[in-house]
Amino acid sequence: MIWTIARREISEALFTGRTLVLFVIALALLGTGLYVMDRDYDARRANYDLIRPDPTQPIAVSPPNPLSVFARGLDDAMGRSFEVNVTGVNIGGSQASANPLFSLFPTPDWLYLFRVVFALIAFLFGFDLICGDKERGTLKLMVSSGASRGAIAVGKWLGGWLAFLTPIALATALWLVLVRPVFGVALRGDDWGRLLAYLALAAVYLSVCFTVAVAISALFHRAGTALVAALFTWVVVVFVIPSFGVLAARQVVHVKPLALVSAERNRIFGSEMMKGFEERRAGRTGPVFQEHWGEMHRQRDLLSDRVAGELGMLARTSALLVRVSPAGAFDGLATRILSTSVADESRLKRDVRRYKNAILPEVFQQRSDGAEVEYPTFTASRASLGEVLAGGRADLAAIVVIGALATLVLFIALNRYDIR
Amino acid sequence: MNVQAAVSWRLVTWKECRELLVSGRFLVAAVIVFGLVATTVTVLTRSYSRELGDYGTAVADRQESLRQYGHLNRLGAWSLPDRPNPMTAVVRGLHQNANLESFDNDPLAVAYPLPDLAVVVGVLFSLLALLFAHDAMSGEREDGTLRLLVAHDISRVSIVVGKAVGRSLALLIPLVAGMLIGALVIAASPSLDWSRTEWGAAAVLAAAAAIYVTAFVCLGVMISAWTRTARTSLVVSLGAWAVFILIVPALSPYVAGALRPTDSVTQLQRRARVMGDSERDQLGVRLSREYQAPVRERHQELEAYYALDEEGRRAARASDPRLAAVLDTVRAASDSAWRTANQIQSEAIEALWADFEVKRQAQIRATRHLSSVSPYPAWVYAALDLTGTGLRAQEHRELQAEAFGETTFAPWRRAVTDSLTAIDPTVDWWNTHVDLSGVPTFSYQAESLGGRVVAAAPQIGLLLLFAFAFLAIGVAGFNGYDVR
């Protein structure tokens, strides 16, 4: 019975052309997104080739992450050049665009398409799945024909879900096949694993969105009302909770303002340099400044620790609040899987500091005697996929729980449906 | 329009407005509008207050540090951030406070930019507008009431215009009310002291928001006049919304980048560094040889001098005043050569950046033009210009900062170095501690209300154009509409 109902849903979607239209839309959007982000990645790669240091330069730069083609996240910020010198770490070349209008509008990567556009389509596919039948009177017929309400719920969900997800999955698979030959994006074995995990997560997220829409459909008797409710839910899930969650976290967690952090770094510099000059004037010889540079680094590292701690707390609180929405949880976990998340940026900065402290004696030496030094190449570490998935259990659980709750609502609403 | 048409137009408007005001849709919209506008303004006002407090602390901190640790070679590092723009309590614009040029940056500001009224009105209210308007014709046709309406002596133009105006008014009521609540929050905030300029800009912003929302209502009515069922209208409306709000703005900067490419900033920085460093050295050495050549040809005895070691040269120079004079001439020629090399390379670097700036501006213009096929970017640009949080304000600020540097800061700096040299001519003023707490501080004077309105006027005009175009296409569609 379940399969019969599901088949009816699929044939209806095929007959009305909805599935075909969705396939064409998905193909166009995913292809455009991939093309645009691939060009963007190529530009960043060219930049990286320019700013890549030679071994005599104490500079830490990471190449752009090929997975950022699918979810750019913070890859721009992570591609900055961290230049180590005797007084600290300066930011050299960056991947920032010359066009400031980029920051006004969202990046059209696959993450955006899945999180916003396809989620909207999921709501549009699901909002009248049950109430449409109620309006037409066909739900009555189904119930009276002996099909259990559970079977109706599962059958309709399954049919609608297949009709919705199959075209997107096909379009995605098609572009994935073309990623290497057409776009030349070179992914390593580990990258493919991450990409597949990301796409699986996207499928779960879209399925949950669809389930929420079907649950809404079961709650209302008129498709028009269900649509308003579905769109309202989409707005809350995709825009309101993620944006205002971070905003609320900022009200709760106080992070030292960055202007004051910069002032503090300057104060440390000024204070230590001043001491050095005074000692020099007092006639002290030897590596006077070296001691003060060392102290400068120590104090600045402590400051960075404090700032990183506060930002970490803010990020954790934001993630906690944003997770209430499947879109927020999806965004957080997806960027972590693809290594372009806030956590990855923090990890990179930890690595840069470790690298800086390891090469600092040579940097001081080079400054003192001018001799050429060969520095080790900086390599950023990356959390393994297993670690990411273990750390992202809360996000995944949040998405699944919301899906389970929506399923529960669907069954309860359908069981309470009065067929008279 | 004759009297009869005006009366029927008003009748339809009133009917549409009244029907919507008592509908569930209006209730949902009112709750969303009130909630979002009030929450956004309250939170942004709080953020502004905090930023203002932080700014005060930063000013005091800087003064104290400049007093204690000031020396001229680090003055640039002590530059003060601008006083927060009070209009960021409604629109954040390009202001991100991510501090990406520093090691201790805030990644969350990049990953999750703060929402503001430009986004709330632009994204959500446009969706509400389409929900209000999508079934204006097709819904009534399905209900059978459109037939009755047309059967009365009401022209089709009046019906379309009346429906668009009526539905717009119904949506504008909660929008205006929400904005009034936002205004109350701002007026009640002790840290926000808006001047007439800010209130005036906010009033024009509210008017622009009303036009923007009306344009989307007209779009909904237009789609409804070309489709047969409310469901089809809705699907087409949502498709149009997705294209206008989600697709066009996101793609236009990338398409503009492909059509009007610029060199990357990093590439240029590298090139400028090479030009100002190794290439300048090569040029300096070559010019130095050229400039010195006539002197060295005239004074062959210099060859013998240059063959000496360091010690020998010092002795020769000290013992022969004529040689010393010739060497001074050689030195002057070399200095002149290096000055020329520096000037040539500086001008070349300036030309490089000027060329980049031309290309950058072309790309920005292309982005604006491409994105203008959607009302959303037009609204965003208008909001940014009116609140002084966009590109125009950045350019305005740069001009002021440049003038301040030339007319105030540079003379002050010269006065400080002169006073140091007057006390001790051998002083290394670059690395000497000086109390610099008296450094003149740049204070940005935001653009006048007139300038902002003039800047935003083309975008607001574009929004009006969208509204009229949608309405006109709607009228064209409804003229051939089968109401059965």
Side-chain angles (χ1 to χ4, degrees), chain B residues 393-408:
Chain B
Q394 279 186 357
E395 284 159 9
H396 193 244
R397 184 204 173 279
E398 274 165 29
L399 284 176
Q400 277 186 26
E402 211 172 289
F404 170 82
E406 283 168 14
T407 59
T408 312

Side-chain angles (χ1 to χ4, degrees), chain A residues 67 70 176 187 190-200 338:
Chain A
L67 290 171
F70 304 97
L176 276 189
L187 299 176
D190 175 52
D191 289 340
W192 278 107
R194 284 170 188 270
L195 186 55
L196 292 178
Y198 161 66
L199 293 174
L338 299 184

